[in-house]
Structure formats: C-alpha cells, structure tokens
Amino acid sequence: MSEPVKKNMIPLSEPEISGNEWKYIKDCLDTGWVSSVGSYVDRFEKMLAGYTGTKYAVAVVNGTSALHVSLIACGVCSGDEVIVPTLTFIAPVNTVRYCGAYPVFMDCDAETLCLDIQKLIDFFKNECAQNKDGYTYNKNTKRRIKAIIPVHIFGHPAELDGLVEVCKKYHIDIIEDATESLGSEYKGKRSGSFGKTGCFSFNGNKIITTGGGGMVVTDDYALAKRVKHLTTQAKKDPFEFDHDEVGFNYRLTNIQAAMGVAQMERLDEFICVKRKNAEIYRNLLSDINGIRFSGERPEVKSNFWFYTINVDKKYKNSLMKYLISKDIQVRPIWRLIHTLPMYKDSQVYKIENAVYAYETCINLPCSVSLKEKEIKYIVENIKKYFESL
Ligand SMILES: Cc1ncc(COP(=O)(O)O)c(C=O)c1O
C-alpha cells in the first residue's frame, strides 16, 4: 500500500483535473452511457491514434492489460522468451509470465535508463542463433525469442532506430511499453508508433489519467481487430453468446473514456509545463556538486513525466529521508526485477548500469501543478542537506 500524502506535503505526482472532466462524465451519467460502449470510448480511441500517429487504437482497462493482450496478439506463447529491461515498473515483466513465456533481463543505458541497445546486439550475437526458419533462439535455453518490450523510462524514449534495426534482423516483435511516455518523440515521431503495438497507461500518476485505463495503438488492422476481440471476452457474435477463444473483460468504460477525452484536450499544455519545470530544476540543480539531473538525448523530445537525479549512493537514503522530513515526497526507483524472488532464476545479460541506477537515482516531485517556488524549495533543501554533511 502506498503511503498517504501529508496535507502540506509536495506530492510526487498528482493528477491535474481542471478541464472538461466533470462536464463529460456528467454527460455519461445523464445519458446512461456508463459502460464499455459509448461515444467517448470511440472519441478517446480516435484521439490516441491521431496523437500518436498510428492508424488504430483500442481502449483497455489499464496499461498492464494493454501489454498482456499485445503479447497474445503478437503470438507470444507458453515456452517462448521475451526480452525485458530489469529496470522498469514490474507490469511488463509480469505480463510475459501471464502468457507462460519467460523473461530475459537486459541492462539499461547509463544516461537514458532505457534498454542498452549495444548490449542487446551483443546478446543476440553471442547468446543466440538464428535457425533456418529465420527465427532467433536462445542458445542457452533453446527457446525461441519472440518479442521484446522496451520501456520508455520516465518518458524518455529508448534508442528506437537501433532497436527497430536489430529486431528486424532477428525477427523479434517490438511491443512498446509507452505507458510513461505519451507525447514523447524520437526523431519527430511519437512513442508508441514504432512497435507492432504501443501500450499506454492512464493510471492516476501518469501524464494524463482516467483513474485507471490503458490503450493499445497499432498500424496493423488485423492486430487491432484481434486486440479488440480479446478484450471483449472473444465474443464473435453481437447477439449470440458465441465465443471462439479464451478472452478477457479488458474494455475501458465510457465514463473513464470521458475523463480521457477531457485530459487529452490538455495533453500538450501538460507536456509544456513538464518541460518548463524540467528546465527550472536543471538550472537550479546545476550548481550543486555531485548531482546529475536526467535530461534528454538530442534526437528526443521527452514528456518529462518524472524528474530523476543521481546522487552518490552513500547519500541516497539519507537524502530521501531528509527531503521527506521537509514535506517533499520523493521515491527511489524500482528494485531491479531480476533480483525479486519470482524472477531470481531468470536469465540476465551483463547487468551493470541498472545496478548503478538503482543505487543512485531518486525521483523528485513532478506534478503538472508543481509551482516554481516549490521547485526552489525542493532544490534549496537538497542544497541544505549537502551543506549539513
Ligand atoms: C513502465 C510501466 N509499465 C506498465 C505500467 C502499468 O500500467 P497500469 O498501472 O495502468 O496497469 C506502468 C504503470 O503503472 C508503468 O510505469
């Protein structure tokens, strides 16, 4: 259970709900269109497809279900392998196991925290073989490597050119975990539009929220159709209760979609604020020795969903404790997934940068509602901590 935020605490990330949310939700209640069919679901899907530059979008209950059905729709089966980062929120890794497949853990890039592409290339070269069927098999386990889930960590897109190239060569499907990166761009193209599918989350802490919600985007009509089918209990007849496979009740409700439409109307504004606040943090933090504020690579435009700093590992826990005592909510980054009990026996490949990231990274408050004076207060307290050493 996450801890409640104290009344005067600067929260890590709180939703911004000050647009048309009330109006659109009221419309659902007034008209009785509250369930998983309705005009807001259609509008929300169209908005996401349009915004990400993809042809199709299917609304789902959360980001985890978006990843789960994407894996199934891409043909990931029991006994396959899927490459995942060890530095990520746990959801993408769990969805691999939901399919009965096995995760293979990769390292992150030291600068962006996203998948280390050079190590991925080395892994394919050194640890895999491409059979006559063109598919790639893990020499160690003899299993087929079917897919990869790159996660655009904290909003910063992974190195997508390199990833697309290597995955094409080895016949690996890319399922983009773009849950944190709605609106981020790589060489002018929006995240979520590079893989076979792109998956988004509208959980309460994301850049836009529907309370809980998700979306699968794709350019592939057949894939979109199958995702929609799987998420509606695989019901094949609109009248008869006729189902042709094991499906899921994964559809987003019209009420949630109504909130999504209102939030989407504000997305560009939210990204603008996040980027401006990143600049303020960066400038203010630049004169503190030993702190590195995560930026963006030149080919990238990040939505700066989360703000991350690196500090010497010997200060990380005590600095977090100090900031919390000053009513500033901060968080460590995720424990590396390959070290958790359920995954400790999985294959890992040369994980080094992720260990350093885990030991040194702290996430700072990042809400859209964050004020410049609050950022100044946060940075002043980081300074005070270091002066007190
Ligand atoms: C990287 C990542 N993947 C997947 C998810 C899962 O999304 P949801 O919580 O909507 O299921 C989240 C966040 O919650 C996430 O941060």
Side-chain angles (χ1 to χ4, degrees):
M1 209 169 70
S2 55
E3 77 277 15
V5 178
K6 266 168 60 191
K7 196 157 171 278
N8 292 322
M9 195 137 199
I10 302 175
L12 185 71
S13 177
E14 66 178 4
E16 177 69 27
I17 307 168
S18 50
N20 286 320
E21 290 83 358
W22 273 107
K23 187 173 150 200
Y24 296 166
I25 291 173
K26 184 173 182 303
D27 187 29
C28 297
L29 303 182
D30 289 345
T31 57
W33 288 96
V34 292
S35 199
S36 59
V37 180
S39 63
Y40 287 104
V41 175
D42 298 339
R43 270 171 76 184
F44 192 34
E45 289 178 338
K46 281 202 180 82
M47 281 172 113
L48 254 290
Y51 196 87
T52 54
T54 53
K55 289 191 184 139
Y56 311 102
V58 181
V60 291
V61 284
N62 50 42
T64 307
S65 61
L67 290 158
H68 184 197
V69 286
S70 290
L71 287 168
I72 299 173
C74 287
V76 172
C77 296
S78 179
D80 285 338
E81 287 185 354
V82 177
I83 295 173
V84 290
T86 186
L87 182 78
T88 173
F89 181 62
I90 198 166
V93 184
N94 285 342
T95 60
V96 172
R97 292 298 299 135
Y98 297 168
C99 297
Y102 297 93
V104 177
F105 289 101
M106 284 289 142
D107 201 10
C108 69
D109 176 85
E111 187 191 346
T112 65
L113 305 182
C114 301
L115 272 177
D116 183 324
I117 301 300
Q118 193 49 55
K119 279 193 183 157
L120 180 68
I121 293 169
D122 293 348
F123 171 76
F124 284 132
K125 268 193 197 144
N126 301 330
E127 307 284 329
C128 300
Q130 227 170 339
N131 278 8
K132 283 201 190 89
D133 58 11
Y135 296 130
T136 297
Y137 292 82
N138 187 331
K139 284 199 267 190
N140 184 32
T141 60
K142 313 280 183 275
R143 294 185 192 123
R144 180 176 165 193
I145 302 177
K146 184 75 185 59
I148 185 166
I149 308 180
V151 180
H152 306 311
I153 303 286
F154 303 140
H156 192 293
E159 202 220 304
L160 284 157
D161 272 356
L163 186 68
V164 168
E165 195 187 320
V166 69
C167 288
K168 196 166 167 208
K169 179 168 174 198
Y170 289 99
H171 295 262
I172 309 285
D173 288 338
I174 300 173
I175 293 161
E176 271 182 270
D177 183 332
T179 49
E180 303 181 352
S181 65
L182 178 61
S184 297
E185 295 171 18
Y186 178 86
K187 297 191 175 171
K189 203 168 168 259
R190 294 244 159 90
S191 75
S193 65
F194 291 81
K196 265 199 122 168
T197 72
C199 302
F200 292 96
S201 163
F202 312 116
N203 176 30
N205 69 0
K206 294 297 182 287
I207 193 155
I208 66 158
T209 184
T210 56
M215 193 74 73
V216 177
V217 297
T218 181
D219 281 332
D220 182 328
Y221 174 72
L223 206 62
K225 228 176 130 193
R226 181 140 159 75
V227 166
K228 188 142 184 179
H229 186 61
L230 283 167
T231 55
T232 44
Q233 302 281 25
K235 190 167 179 288
K236 71 171 193 180
D237 188 282
F239 186 66
E240 291 287 342
F241 290 94
D242 200 359
H243 307 261
D244 57 6
E245 60 182 313
V246 177
F248 305 90
N249 178 12
Y250 275 176
R251 292 289 287 159
L252 193 74
T253 66
N254 203 43
I255 298 178
Q256 289 165 304
M259 182 162 180
V261 169
Q263 290 267 294
M264 275 304 285
E265 290 171 352
R266 311 278 308 279
L267 177 58
D268 283 338
E269 185 193 328
F270 292 174
I271 293 174
C272 215
V273 172
K274 292 258 194 191
R275 290 183 59 80
K276 191 187 87 211
N277 284 344
E279 199 54 42
I280 297 172
Y281 262 125
R282 184 183 302 114
N283 288 336
L284 292 173
L285 286 164
S286 64
D287 58 344
I288 309 180
N289 261 344
I291 293 245
R292 193 183 80 90
F293 181 77
S294 292
E296 63 188 346
R297 304 240 341 121
E299 67 277 18
V300 156
K301 185 177 171 198
S302 174
N303 68 2
F304 277 101
W305 173 58
F306 258 44
Y307 306 128
T308 309
I309 54 170
N310 294 85
V311 296
D312 191 311
K313 68 177 181 188
K314 64 177 182 279
Y315 304 129
K316 182 184 126 180
N317 287 336
S318 61
L319 173 58
M320 284 196 293
K321 224 169 136 192
Y322 180 83
L323 293 174
I324 290 166
S325 78
K326 300 292 171 191
D327 292 333
I328 300 163
Q329 195 186 25
V330 292
R331 277 282 169 86
I333 60 169
W334 312 286
R335 209 172 268 282
L336 302 183
I337 310 292
H338 76 277
T339 66
L340 300 178
M342 325 67 100
Y343 294 113
K344 68 175 178 24
D345 298 326
S346 303
Q347 189 176 3
V348 300
Y349 188 71
K350 296 188 180 170
I351 289 169
E352 295 145 339
N353 297 330
V355 174
Y356 174 77
Y358 175 70
E359 287 172 347
T360 61
C361 286
I362 298 176
N363 282 325
L364 300 177
C366 65
S367 309
V368 169
S369 59
L370 190 68
K371 300 281 172 298
E372 184 166 353
K373 68 173 195 295
E374 291 174 316
I375 301 177
K376 283 186 176 149
Y377 174 77
I378 294 162
V379 175
E380 263 164 34
N381 276 291
I382 295 174
K383 269 189 194 153
K384 274 190 195 148
Y385 168 82
F386 281 106
E387 281 161 11
S388 73
L389 291 175

